[in-house]
Amino acid sequence: MTELEKGPQGRRRGRGARERILGASRQLFRDQGINRTGMDQLCAVAQVSKRTAYQHFASKDELVTEYLRRFDPGTMSAVFDRPDLAPRERLLAAFELPASGTQELTPMCPYIAAAVELHDPRHPASQYARDYKQAIAARLADTAREAGATHPEQLGEQLALLLDGAAARTRVMNTESFPTAAAIAAVLIDNAIPATTGDEDRSR
Amino acid sequence: MTELEKGPQGRRRGRGARERILGASRQLFRDQGINRTGMDQLCAVAQVSKRTAYQHFASKDELVTEYLRRFDPGTMSAVFDRPDLAPRERLLAAFELPASGTQELTPMCPYIAAAVELHDPRHPASQYARDYKQAIAARLADTAREAGATHPEQLGEQLALLLDGAAARTRVMNTESFPTAAAIAAVLIDNAIPATTGDEDRSR
DNA sequence: CGGTAAGTACACAGGCCGGTGTATATAACG
DNA sequence: CGTTATATACACCGGCCTGTGTACTTACCG
C-alpha cells in the first residue's frame, strides 16, 4: 500500500492518454465551453496527469485545435456518402436531427462556438473551422450539382448558411431550429432544380 | 501638483461615468469579446475608476446584461418603422448591410455572441438575448402579415433564422454573408406572398 | 531482463481576473 | 455655504488559470 490503487479498479489508467484527453475535451468543451474549461478539470475528467497532457499538447490552444480537427467522425460522410438516397434527398438529410429520441437540443456547432469563443480569426482552430465550413459548403455544392441545380455553388452556400443559422439560433433561443432550416432548404432546393423530365411529384 | 491633472485636458472626466462604461463595453466586447475583456482594461478605456464602475454595476455579469439591454439604439425601428417602404421591401431591408463603405465585415450579432460566450441559458443576459430575438421574429412576422404572407409567423421565424445564420457565418468564415441571406430571403418572401394583383415582374 | 517511452504525483510559479476597502476630492444643489 | 452624491486613486485579496520542474513508477518491446 505504498502508492497503489491508482485507477478505479486498481488498474492503471495507462496508455491511451491522448485519446482520453480528446474525449474529455469533446465532452467538456461541449457542455461548458472552451474558455470555461480549465486544464485541471479537463485532466481530472480524462484521468490523466497534467504533465502528461502537456507532453501531448504543447498548449491549450493546440489541444483546442486538435479537438476541432478530430471532431468530424464521419459526420460528413454519414450524410453525403449515402448511395441509398438521391442527391436531392441527401441535401435534405443534412438538416435532419441526429437521434432526436430525447428532447435534447442539437448541440451547438463546435466550429462556430470555437470561432466565437477564441475570437481571433488567425487562431489555428479558427482557421480550421473556416476550412471545415468551406469543405461542407463545397460538398453541398457538389451534391447540388449532382441534383441538377442551376447554380450549385450558390445553393451550396445557401444551405451552409441555413445550417449555421439553425445551430446559432438553436443555441440562442434554446429551441430546436433545424426543422425551420429544413423547411427553408426544401424551398430553396425545389427552386434551384429546374422542372425535371420524368421526376416524381414536384407539385407539392 | 498635489493630485491635479487627472483628465486629458486637466478637466475631470466627471459625471457621465455610467455612459462611458457602457460605451467602452460596446467597443471592447465587440472587438475582443466579453470573456477576454477584463474590468481593469474596461475601466481604463472608459476613463473611470474601478470603484465607480462597481458602484454602477454590482458585477460584471450585471454590466454585460445592461450592455445587451442598451444595445438596440433604434436598430429595430430603423428597419421596421419606415413608412417609405412597402412591407415587402421592409422585410428585405433587414438584410441590407449598414453603411458598408469600407470593406469591414458586419460585426457579430452581440446577442449570439453573448449566448455563446456566457454559455448559460439562465444567465440574465442570455435570457434577454432570447427575448430580443423573439421580439425581432415577432416584428418580422407582423411585417410579413402586413405584406400578405400566407403564414406570417413561419416567414418571420425563417427570416430571423437567416439573420442569425448570416451573422454566425460572417464570423466563422470571415466573409460577408448577408448578401447570401438576402437572396434567400427574397426567395422565401416571394414564395410566401401569393401572386398579388398588379405586382411587378415576378417571373424571374 | 533491461532499457526506454509513457505516465504519474504534486507542488509551485506567475499572471490575470473579479471584486473590495479606504481615504480623498469635486461637482451639484439647496 | 454646507451637504450630499458622485467620482477618484490605489492597494489589496483570494481564486482560478496556463504552464513547468522534479522525482518517481509503470508498461512495453527487443
Side-chain angles (χ1 to χ4, degrees), chain B residues 11-23:
Chain B
R11 213 177 148 279
R12 199 89 175 286
R13 296 75 131 203
R15 301 275 105 150
R18 190 181 180 93
E19 295 312 311
R20 259 176 294 141
I21 295 168
L22 289 165

Side-chain angles (χ1 to χ4, degrees), chain B residues 4 12 15 37-40 50-51 54 58-60:
Chain B
L4 292 199
R12 199 89 175 286
R15 301 275 105 150
T37 300
M39 290 298 284
D40 286 289
K50 219 163 143 195
R51 210 70 191 80
Y54 277 97
S59 66
K60 187 185 179 181

Side-chain angles (χ1 to χ4, degrees), chain B residues 25-40:
Chain B
S25 301
R26 277 187 291 270
Q27 178 199 325
L28 293 174
F29 291 166
R30 161 166 45 80
D31 294 347
Q32 310 185 341
I34 295 171
N35 289 330
R36 302 181 107 79
T37 300
M39 290 298 284
D40 286 289

Side-chain angles (χ1 to χ4, degrees), chain A residues 1-165:
Chain A
M1 54 114 75
T2 52
E3 238 131 42
L4 293 199
E5 55 198 331
K6 303 287 177 62
Q9 277 82 3
R11 213 178 148 280
R12 199 90 175 283
R13 297 78 131 198
R15 300 275 107 148
R18 190 181 179 92
E19 295 311 313
R20 260 176 294 140
I21 295 169
L22 289 165
S25 300
R26 278 186 291 270
Q27 178 200 323
L28 293 174
F29 291 166
R30 163 167 43 82
D31 294 348
Q32 310 184 342
I34 295 171
N35 290 331
R36 304 183 109 77
T37 299
M39 290 298 283
D40 286 288
Q41 185 194 7
L42 199 149
C43 291
V45 169
Q47 297 212 95
V48 156
S49 90
K50 217 163 143 196
R51 211 69 191 78
T52 301
Y54 277 98
Q55 268 150 18
H56 281 283
F57 306 97
S59 65
K60 187 185 179 182
D61 286 313
E62 200 171 279
L63 168 60
V64 171
T65 307
E66 188 66 14
Y67 147 79
L68 264 201
R69 284 207 192 108
R70 294 273 189 108
F71 201 91
D72 182 34
T75 301
M76 205 150 76
S77 307
V79 173
F80 290 111
D81 302 338
R82 288 186 59 177
D84 57 315
L85 295 182
R88 184 182 170 282
E89 271 63 41
R90 256 176 281 153
L91 289 176
L92 284 169
F95 293 85
E96 256 148 43
L97 311 168
S100 59
T102 68
Q103 64 253 34
E104 279 175 17
L105 298 180
T106 307
M108 176 68 175
C109 162
Y111 306 95
I112 300 177
V116 173
E117 284 209 74
L118 303 177
H119 210 275
D120 178 5
R122 294 162 313 175
H123 191 293
S126 297
Q127 291 181 356
Y128 179 77
R130 214 148 45 226
D131 294 345
Y132 182 87
K133 289 282 178 193
Q134 220 146 25
I136 290 284
R139 283 277 231 160
L140 288 166
D142 289 346
T143 310
R145 188 175 298 108
E146 207 181 330
T150 52
H151 302 298
E153 309 287 345
Q154 178 184 303
L155 183 56
E157 181 64 24
Q158 289 177 341
L159 296 180
L161 186 145
L162 289 180
L163 288 172
D164 290 345

